[in-house]
């Protein structure tokens, strides 16, 4: 009987790993994402139950207490946190995952210290890897959370010789790691390494602008997976190794995809201190900005343009998320469809503040999946679109990326809304986006600026369209 339990645990791990693959595959499509999440959650539950049957588990009351506390916090957070704050929540969860992995590594080192048994060099290396990745993920995610929450400036924080300082820190970590491998159980050195890893996490994220936070969150998510995998090697748990590797691989793949979506390399995102956060170019109300003319429009005129159009493409951006206007947008689309207008949604891969941010918000408002189009699928249709309705998006629709070779965003793939017959842009003001540059779209002859908060303006549009 005692031989059957370990075998059953490993078979459960095998089933759970298979379900992880199935769940991850389903997460690749909005239509199947909900079922994919359910399958992956069931796989994790199976893995946890199997692990609890392991004879190495010594303190069940503490484990169940931790499960109860964590489940309670998670349930409350899921109910209370607004969808617009989901990027911050994801960033915070990444950090907690990294912290858990780092604590496992610290606990393993402490176990050897308590027994005065010298760990092997392989164990020491795995522990150090867990400390480094987990520590960087923890503090880096906290900084990302603070930037997204507005607790600190979203602008890049830079100072002279910053990169040499970071390189010195990392070099110090490597040197002390070699020393610890040769002289194990040196507590002051180990604690110094823990401290360096935490500082590296802060230094890693502060020079990155708020506009690049989606990429950073994706990368930190990958780091949290690698930290979990390292923790799996520390405690010799195959399931943790597999699950962490999956998270790490999928996170880095998504990071690369998002970098391609901005036509920038990962090193440019991490080290170029790109973007200065939102800044004001001019106030709302239309008129002129220098020698450039801005055409403004009111809700009544906008409603007539939308209501009498044959096709409308809605382009959601972070402004829609901030105003929590997704439900009003869905109601507007319903009213337009009632008048026979074809409505589609164009989703840029880096719109918002986390991967898939716009998809999540629109799904919350029950927008049909088949109306959501990726940039590659919708761009060819703008030339045949009567009205492109841009709601709070900025850099991802800036024609300078296509036309101005001196622009910082030149070469970045954008949604070609300027090719539509008419473009209506809903914004609170003429402020710049996260790239900190003017949007040439606002000055195009076919562009009309509709100033105001996204939710208030779209609600007025709904009322006007109902009267058509």
């Amino acid at each position: 009987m005692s031989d059957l339990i370990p075998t059953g645990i490993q078979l459960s791990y095998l089933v759970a790993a298979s379900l992880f693959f199935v769940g991850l595959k389903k997460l690749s499509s909005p239509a199947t994402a909900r079922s994919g999440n359910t399958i992956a959650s069931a796989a994790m539950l199976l893995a946890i139950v199997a692990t609890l049957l392991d004879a190495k588990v010594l303190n069940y009351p503490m484990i169940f207490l931790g499960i109860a506390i964590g489940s309670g916090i998670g349930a409350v957070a899921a109910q209370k946190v607004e969808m617009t704050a989901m990027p911050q929540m994801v960033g915070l969860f990444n950090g907690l995952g990294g912290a858990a992995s780092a604590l496992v590594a610290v606990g393993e080192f402490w176990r050897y210290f308590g027994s005065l048994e010298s760990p092997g060099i392989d164990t020491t290396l795995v522990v150090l890897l867990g400390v480094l990745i987990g520590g960087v993920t923890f503090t880096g995610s906290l900084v990302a959370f603070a930037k997204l929450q507005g607790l600190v400036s979203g602008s890049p924080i830079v100072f002279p010789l910053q990169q040499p300082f970071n390189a010195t820190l990392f070099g110090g970590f490597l040197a002390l790691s070699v020393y610890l491998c040769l002289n194990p159980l040196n507590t002051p050195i180990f604690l110094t390494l823990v401290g360096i890893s935490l500082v590296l996490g802060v230094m890693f994220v502060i020079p990155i602008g708020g506009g690049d936070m989606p990429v950073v969150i994706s990368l930190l998510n990958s780091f949290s997976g690698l930290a979990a995998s390292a923790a799996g090697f520390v405690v010799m748990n195959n399931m943790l190794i597999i699950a962490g590797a999956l998270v790490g691989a999928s996170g880095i793949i998504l990071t690369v995809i998002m970098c391609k979506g901005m036509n920038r390399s990962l090193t440019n995102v991490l080290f170029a201190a790109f973007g200065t956060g939102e800044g004001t170019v001019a106030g709302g109300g239309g008129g002129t900005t220098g020698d450039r003319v801005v055409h403004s429009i009111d809700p009544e005129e906008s409603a007539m343009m939308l209501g009498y159009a044959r096709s409308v493409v809605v382009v959601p951006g972070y402004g829609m998320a901030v105003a929590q206007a997704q439900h009003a947008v869905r109601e507007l689309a319903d009213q337009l469809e009632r008048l026979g207008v074809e409505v589609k949604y164009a989703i840029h891969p880096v719109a918002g503040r986390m991967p898939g941010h716009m998809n999540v918000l629109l799904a919350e408002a029950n927008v049909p999946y088949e109306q959501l189009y990726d940039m590659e699928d919708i761009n060819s249709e703008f030339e045949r679109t009567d009205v492109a309705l841009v709601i709070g998006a900025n850099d991802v629709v800036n024609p300078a990326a296509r036309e101005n070779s001196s622009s910082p965003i030149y070469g970045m793939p954008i949604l070609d809304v300027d090719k539509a017959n008419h473009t209506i842009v809903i914004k609170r003001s003429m402020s710049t986006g996260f790239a900190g540059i003017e949007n040439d779209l606002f000055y195009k002859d076919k562009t009309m600026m509709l100033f105001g908060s996204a939710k208030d303006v779209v609600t007025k549009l709904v009322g006007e369209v109902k009267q058509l």
Side-chain angles (χ1 to χ4, degrees):
M1 183 66 180
S2 59
D3 293 335
L4 293 177
I5 293 179
T7 302
I9 292 174
Q10 296 305 317
L11 287 175
S12 298
Y13 285 167
L14 180 61
V15 173
S18 302
L19 291 176
F20 278 139
F21 282 105
V22 175
L24 194 59
K25 173 63 177 177
K26 286 181 172 291
L27 286 173
S28 63
S29 169
T32 57
R34 188 186 296 270
S35 61
N37 190 52
T38 301
I39 292 172
S41 298
M44 182 55 71
L45 177 61
L46 175 61
I48 291 173
V49 171
T51 302
L52 291 176
L53 296 176
D54 197 316
K56 296 178 182 178
V57 177
L58 302 176
N59 195 328
Y60 283 100
M62 289 297 294
I63 290 176
F64 287 123
L65 178 62
I67 291 175
I69 294 174
S71 299
I73 294 174
V76 172
Q79 294 296 324
K80 297 294 184 181
V81 175
E82 298 287 347
M83 292 302 295
T84 50
M86 198 56 63
Q88 295 94 302
M89 186 176 182
V90 171
L92 189 59
F93 282 176
N94 286 343
L96 294 176
S101 300
L103 287 173
V104 169
V106 171
E108 182 70 4
F109 176 85
W110 209 256
R111 182 174 70 84
Y112 278 101
F113 181 80
S115 64
L116 298 180
E117 177 187 354
S118 180
I121 190 171
D122 54 343
T123 301
T124 304
L125 288 174
V126 171
V127 166
L128 290 173
L129 190 62
V131 166
L132 176 61
I133 302 176
V136 169
T137 304
F138 175 54
T139 53
S141 296
L142 290 183
V143 174
F145 167 81
K147 281 177 174 277
L148 292 173
Q149 190 66 19
L151 301 178
V152 299
S153 172
S155 300
I157 300 174
V158 296
F159 56 83
L161 301 177
Q162 187 170 24
Q163 298 308 330
F165 176 76
N166 292 345
T168 301
L169 275 178
F170 185 68
F173 186 94
L174 294 179
L176 291 177
S177 296
V178 172
Y179 180 85
L180 192 68
C181 288
L182 299 176
N183 302 274
L185 302 183
N186 189 315
T187 303
I189 295 296
F190 181 76
L191 294 179
T192 300
L193 288 168
V194 173
I196 291 176
S197 71
L198 297 177
V199 174
L200 278 172
V202 175
M203 300 305 299
F204 174 68
V205 178
I206 60 172
I208 303 174
D212 289 330
M213 279 302 112
V215 179
V216 175
I217 287 178
S218 178
L219 184 60
L220 289 172
N221 182 57
S222 177
F223 283 1
S224 70
L226 294 177
S229 193
F233 281 105
V234 169
V235 299
M236 300 302 293
N237 185 284
N238 294 332
M239 190 67 258
L240 193 54
I241 295 171
I242 294 172
L246 285 174
V247 174
S250 58
I252 198 65
I253 290 172
L254 181 57
T255 301
V256 172
I257 290 173
M258 296 181 71
C259 287
K260 288 183 177 179
M262 299 187 297
N263 194 36
R264 293 166 60 201
S265 66
L266 181 57
T267 54
N268 179 267
V269 171
L270 298 180
F271 304 118
F274 180 79
T276 58
E278 286 191 301
T280 300
V281 173
T288 60
T289 302
D291 58 350
R292 309 180 76 180
V293 179
V294 177
H295 306 282
S296 62
I297 194 172
D298 61 34
E300 183 178 1
E301 294 174 292
S302 300
M304 292 182 65
M305 288 180 63
L306 293 168
Y308 293 117
R310 291 171 301 174
S311 59
V312 171
V313 175
V314 179
V315 180
Y318 185 63
M320 185 194 77
V322 171
Q324 301 184 42
Q326 60 269 25
H327 295 282
V329 171
R330 167 65 195 274
E331 187 178 1
L332 175 62
D334 289 343
Q335 293 299 323
L336 292 176
E337 290 172 341
R338 177 181 61 86
L339 297 175
V341 180
E342 181 185 27
V343 179
K344 297 179 179 179
Y345 297 81
I347 310 297
H348 193 281
V350 293
R353 285 195 168 184
M354 75 173 185
H357 197 180
M358 296 301 106
N359 301 73
V360 171
L361 290 175
L362 294 174
E364 184 198 17
N366 295 318
V367 172
Y369 295 129
E370 58 270 15
Q371 291 185 358
L372 305 183
Y373 289 81
D374 292 333
M375 178 177 61
E376 296 81 4
D377 300 323
I378 197 69
N379 263 349
S380 60
E381 297 191 25
F382 278 113
E383 293 181 349
R384 300 185 296 275
T385 299
D386 291 328
V387 182
L389 180 61
V390 180
I391 307 177
N394 203 323
D395 297 325
V396 298
V397 294
N398 191 343
R402 194 178 62 238
E403 302 168 350
N404 185 358
S405 59
S406 63
S407 173
I409 63 172
Y410 181 70
M412 173 179 132
I414 61 167
L415 292 165
D416 297 329
V417 298
D418 58 312
K419 295 182 179 181
N421 293 335
H422 300 282
T423 303
I424 299 175
V425 180
I426 299 176
K427 271 184 110 300
R428 289 174 297 177
S429 69
M430 294 286 290
S431 62
T432 63
F434 282 112
I437 60 176
E438 281 190 293
N439 191 338
D440 291 349
L441 174 69
F442 301 163
Y443 307 100
K444 296 284 186 179
D445 291 337
K446 296 188 295 182
T447 299
M448 303 293 176
M449 301 298 296
L450 181 52
F451 292 105
S453 171
K455 187 174 183 179
D456 295 338
V457 170
V458 175
T459 300
K460 291 178 182 178
L461 287 176
V462 172
E464 295 291 344
V465 170
K466 285 182 178 179
Q467 298 179 32
L468 295 178

